[in-house]
């Protein structure tokens, strides 16, 4: 086996094991990490270098939108109101919910699907607006974010019945879930070539066009405090969109600007070099790979070049080959201590479910639910009758650009006064806390508050460090890649503190 084929084989094995343990042989990606691993593999192929941040001229041009991308929104809000979702708990809910499409490019017929839940309680107007984006790229914010993580409902094992999430984020915010880019979930384009030409830049532009049109449809949110949140590859989506919003605001005056206050990113892809290096260090620190393997990786593998330097480093190939042996056994790298799903079938009757005990087969329940005709009708989704079923992660979204870092964007956002929180589940092996710490350290920011523990209702919630300039790095104890799935209560405490501009709660001394 050649050097290059050996390294490709390693990543192929890892990818296949991800797919097999999550879908029992399904050929398409099912979870964010599946797509992310494929993305990381693609990024290691030799290619022309991609600038980490678009230059000033091209970025400013991206904010000069074609007027055809804006359309009248009068009366559309009423039609998007969801009376009730099939299978939702009896007795109704204490919030309004909406679903529908916003056209972001009339010429190509590109439209993005959204699901929106107002904050619970009698006065949602007193609470901010939060936009949630899942990663992949190409993974659904409706299927993952809304129905597996931070939304008001979870899906039971029969694939038809919903139960309430007592730690839903609409307890403290009005939450908007966006399926982006086109080709993800129910979002679509009438120009099929759009699916193969997705990119960070176009996704950010489409999301900004979506926001501006959506705020015309929901004008009461135009001057509301606004936050952008997401996880995994959404480390790119969140920072790119936030930068577009800031650039847009420089050209607008109130009330036409967007009142962006902060961004939150969970287990986020931030910087390719440190993401990869931190992943292997994490595996070693958790006894998943041997001392010999990590020593060889640290000595011979150069993660700062697209092909890991494999063409010149047989030592790197040997070390990665040793690491490869670890992943031949079933292992959920989204949560290295979690059980894996053993059946993709829904059940005739719903099993007893608990938000506090995440079911590893939830992906299958959500997929069954979102492919029900009555559910799509209630959501006002799939209006064009797509030729493929709803999928958690799209297998048709192609990506044109993968900047190797978004750290310069974080610096720029801080210069605009945007508060930032980067949080990480401490048992995630896809983008582990080690990677996140390495990436943030690259910014070389002065420390305001050193590492200290934070509390969640009297329990250890994790650890945090606060940097000067408005950036916080926090860990969430016992959480995997999708933090609100594995630790929903701690995730809500984290969010609440951030929205209130308060430090994470400190443990009470005995």
């Amino acid at each position: 086996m050649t050097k290059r084929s050996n390294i490709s084989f390693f990543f192929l094995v890892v990818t296949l094991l991800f797919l097999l343990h999550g879908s029992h042989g399904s050929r398409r990606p099912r979870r964010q990490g599946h797509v992310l691993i494929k993305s990381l593999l693609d990024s290691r192929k030799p290619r022309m270098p991609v600038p980490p941040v678009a230059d000033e001229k091209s970025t400013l041009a991206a904010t000069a939108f074609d007027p055809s991308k804006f359309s009248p929104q009068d009366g559309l809000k009423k039609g998007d109101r969801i009376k009730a979702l099939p299978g939702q708990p009896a007795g109704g809910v204490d919030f309004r919910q909406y679903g529908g499409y916003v056209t972001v490019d009339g010429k190509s017929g590109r439209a993005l699907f959204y699901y929106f839940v107002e904050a619970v309680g009698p006065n949602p107007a007193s609470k901010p607006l939060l936009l949630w984006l899942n990663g992949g790229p190409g993974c659904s914010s409706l299927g993952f974010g809304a129905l597996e993580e931070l939304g008001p409902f979870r899906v039971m094992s029969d694939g038809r019945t919903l139960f309430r999430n007592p730690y839903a984020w609409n307890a403290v915010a009005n939450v908007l879930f966006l399926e982006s880019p086109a080709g993800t979930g129910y979002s679509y384009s009438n120009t099929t070539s759009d699916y193969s030409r997705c990119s960070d830049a176009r996704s950010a532009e489409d999301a900004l066009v979506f926001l501006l049109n959506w705020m015309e449809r929901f004008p009461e949110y135009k001057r509301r405090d606004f936050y952008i949140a997401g996880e995994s590859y959404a480390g790119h989506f969140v920072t790119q969109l936030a930068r577009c919003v800031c650039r847009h605001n420089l050209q607008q005056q109130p009330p036409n600007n967007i009142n962006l206050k902060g961004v939150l990113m969970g287990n986020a892809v931030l910087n390719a070099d440190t993401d990869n290096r931190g992943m292997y260090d994490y595996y070693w620190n958790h006894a998943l790979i041997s001392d010999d393997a990590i020593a060889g990786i640290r000595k011979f593998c150069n993660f700062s070049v697209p092909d890991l330097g494999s063409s010149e480093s047989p030592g790197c190939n040997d070390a990665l080959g040793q690491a490869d042996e670890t992943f031949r056994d079933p292992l959920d790298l989204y949560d290295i201590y979690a059980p894996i799903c053993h059946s993709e079938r829904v059940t005739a009757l719903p099993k007893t479910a608990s938000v506090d005990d995440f079911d590893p087969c939830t992906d299958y329940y959500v997929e069954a639910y979102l492919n029900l005709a009555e559910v799509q009708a209630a959501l006002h989704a799939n209006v064009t009758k797509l030729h493929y079923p709803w999928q958690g992660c799209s297998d048709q979204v192609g990506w044109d650009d993968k900047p190797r870092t978004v750290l310069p964007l974080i610096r720029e956002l801080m210069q605009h006064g945007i508060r930032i929180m980067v949080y990480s589940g401490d048992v995630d092996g896809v983008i582990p806390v080690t990677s996140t710490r390495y990436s943030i350290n690259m910014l070389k920011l002065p420390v305001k508050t050193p590492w200290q523990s934070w509390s969640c209702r009297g329990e250890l919630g994790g650890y945090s460090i606060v940097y000067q300039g408005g950036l916080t790095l926090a860990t969430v104890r016992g959480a995997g890649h999708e933090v609100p799935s594995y630790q929903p209560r701690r995730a809500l405490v984290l969010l609440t503190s951030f929205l209130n501009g308060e430090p994470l709660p400190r443990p009470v001394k005995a």
Side-chain angles (χ1 to χ4, degrees):
M1 185 175 290
T2 65
K3 299 169 185 175
R4 195 174 301 278
S5 63
N6 187 24
I7 201 166
S8 299
F9 173 76
F10 165 75
F11 289 110
L12 177 62
V13 168
V14 174
T15 304
L16 290 176
L17 283 170
F18 266 86
L19 295 173
L20 288 172
H21 92 255
S23 60
H24 291 273
S26 172
R27 292 186 178 181
R28 63 180 176 79
R30 302 192 70 92
R31 296 179 67 181
Q32 291 180 100
H34 301 156
V35 183
L36 180 57
I37 289 291
K38 182 179 183 299
S39 175
L40 293 174
L41 171 59
D42 290 342
S43 73
R44 292 181 175 112
K45 295 176 180 177
R47 63 176 69 198
M48 293 296 291
V50 178
V53 183
D55 61 43
E56 187 82 5
K57 182 178 180 180
S58 63
T59 303
L60 288 174
T63 62
F65 299 120
D66 186 330
S68 68
K69 294 183 178 180
F70 301 94
S71 55
Q73 304 292 318
D74 295 343
L76 297 179
K77 173 185 174 181
K78 182 178 180 180
D80 288 353
R81 176 76 183 271
I82 297 172
K83 296 179 180 178
L85 290 175
Q88 77 178 35
V93 296
D94 53 350
F95 58 89
R96 288 188 291 263
Q97 49 188 334
Y98 299 82
Y101 287 93
V102 172
T103 299
V104 295
D105 192 318
K107 293 178 181 178
S108 68
R110 200 159 64 244
L112 302 183
F113 181 81
Y114 79 90
Y115 171 61
F116 175 56
V117 290
E118 288 188 345
V120 298
N123 190 19
S126 66
K127 296 174 181 175
L129 174 66
L130 182 143
L131 173 69
W132 175 266
L133 299 166
N134 275 88
C139 293
S140 168
S141 298
L142 171 64
F144 290 102
L147 291 176
E148 293 193 28
E149 301 186 66
L150 54 120
F153 304 113
R154 296 277 181 91
V155 183
M156 300 191 77
S157 64
D158 63 351
R160 291 182 172 275
T161 310
L162 303 177
F163 66 104
R164 284 295 292 266
N165 173 11
Y167 310 113
W169 285 16
N170 72 325
V172 293
N174 302 275
V175 186
L176 177 59
F177 300 92
L178 176 62
E179 294 199 303
S180 175
T184 301
Y186 295 128
S187 295
Y188 70 89
S189 176
N190 292 330
T191 305
T192 55
S193 60
D194 276 353
Y195 298 145
S196 61
R197 295 200 303 262
C198 297
S199 67
D200 278 19
R202 196 182 76 182
S203 294
E205 180 177 330
D206 279 359
L208 180 55
V209 173
F210 166 86
L211 274 175
L212 294 171
N213 278 295
W214 187 88
M215 287 181 176
E216 289 298 320
R217 191 176 300 188
F218 292 78
E220 64 270 31
Y221 290 96
K222 279 189 175 182
R223 290 300 302 152
R224 194 74 59 89
D225 285 357
F226 177 59
Y227 295 84
I228 307 173
E231 69 191 9
S232 196
Y233 194 82
H236 281 230
F237 293 156
V238 168
T239 51
Q240 297 274 14
L241 173 57
R243 188 195 204 199
C244 276
V245 169
C246 289
R247 294 296 177 98
H248 169 79
N249 286 347
L250 289 175
Q251 302 176 32
Q252 302 293 330
Q253 296 295 323
N256 296 318
N257 62 339
I258 297 174
N259 194 22
L260 178 63
K261 295 294 186 179
V263 300
L264 300 88
M265 296 175 282
N267 292 94
V269 177
L270 300 176
N271 184 65
D273 305 349
T274 45
D275 287 346
N276 288 310
R277 179 163 57 88
M279 179 177 66
Y280 288 106
D281 283 351
Y282 179 87
Y283 293 159
W284 178 69
N285 286 329
H286 287 75
L288 295 177
I289 63 176
S290 69
D291 292 352
D292 288 344
I294 193 63
I297 289 170
R298 289 174 174 173
K299 181 175 182 180
F300 298 112
C301 296
N302 182 358
F303 291 104
S304 64
V305 294
D307 64 352
L308 295 175
S310 60
S311 60
E312 299 178 0
S313 177
C316 178
N317 291 307
D318 292 341
L320 292 175
Q322 290 184 54
D324 171 23
E325 296 299 321
T326 299
F327 304 105
R328 295 187 185 278
D329 295 324
L331 177 67
D332 186 351
L333 290 181
Y334 308 106
D335 181 341
I336 62 173
Y337 300 127
I340 62 174
C341 178
H342 293 288
S343 174
E344 62 187 68
R345 295 187 179 91
V346 296
T347 60
L349 296 175
K351 298 183 296 185
T352 301
S354 170
V355 171
D356 293 313
D357 186 15
F358 184 69
D359 188 328
C361 298
T362 296
D363 296 343
Y364 299 103
Y365 314 154
V366 170
E367 182 170 318
Y369 184 78
L370 291 177
N371 276 300
L372 294 174
E374 59 267 33
V375 171
Q376 295 179 1
L379 286 166
H380 315 119
N382 199 15
V383 294
T384 60
K385 304 304 177 186
L386 298 169
H387 66 276
Y388 49 84
W390 181 93
Q391 302 172 12
C393 292
S394 174
D395 56 1
Q396 63 183 354
V397 171
W399 218 247
D400 276 353
D401 69 333
K402 290 187 177 72
R404 294 188 64 80
T405 183
V406 295
L407 295 180
L409 300 186
I410 291 177
R411 281 193 178 278
E412 183 175 334
L413 294 176
M414 293 172 67
Q415 291 168 359
H416 282 280
I418 305 301
R419 291 192 295 113
I420 299 171
M421 175 179 280
V422 183
Y423 62 89
S424 180
D426 67 358
V427 291
D428 171 38
V430 180
I431 299 292
V433 61
T434 310
S435 295
T436 304
R437 289 179 63 184
Y438 288 172
S439 296
I440 297 301
N441 288 342
M442 294 283 290
L443 293 170
K444 301 185 184 303
L445 299 172
V447 173
K448 182 178 180 181
T449 305
W451 278 105
Q452 60 183 18
S453 59
W454 63 275
S455 173
C456 175
R457 300 188 183 181
E459 300 176 349
L460 175 62
Y463 294 86
S464 69
I465 183 170
V466 181
Y467 299 89
Q468 293 183 19
L471 186 145
T472 298
L473 169 60
T475 68
V476 182
R477 185 172 68 89
H481 192 62
E482 289 94 2
V483 168
S485 294
Y486 297 98
Q487 294 293 336
R489 185 172 63 176
R490 291 170 188 164
L492 182 58
V493 170
L494 198 80
L495 172 71
T496 304
S497 295
F498 184 74
L499 295 181
N500 292 337
E502 299 171 348
L504 287 165
R506 297 281 287 130
V508 177
K509 295 183 179 180

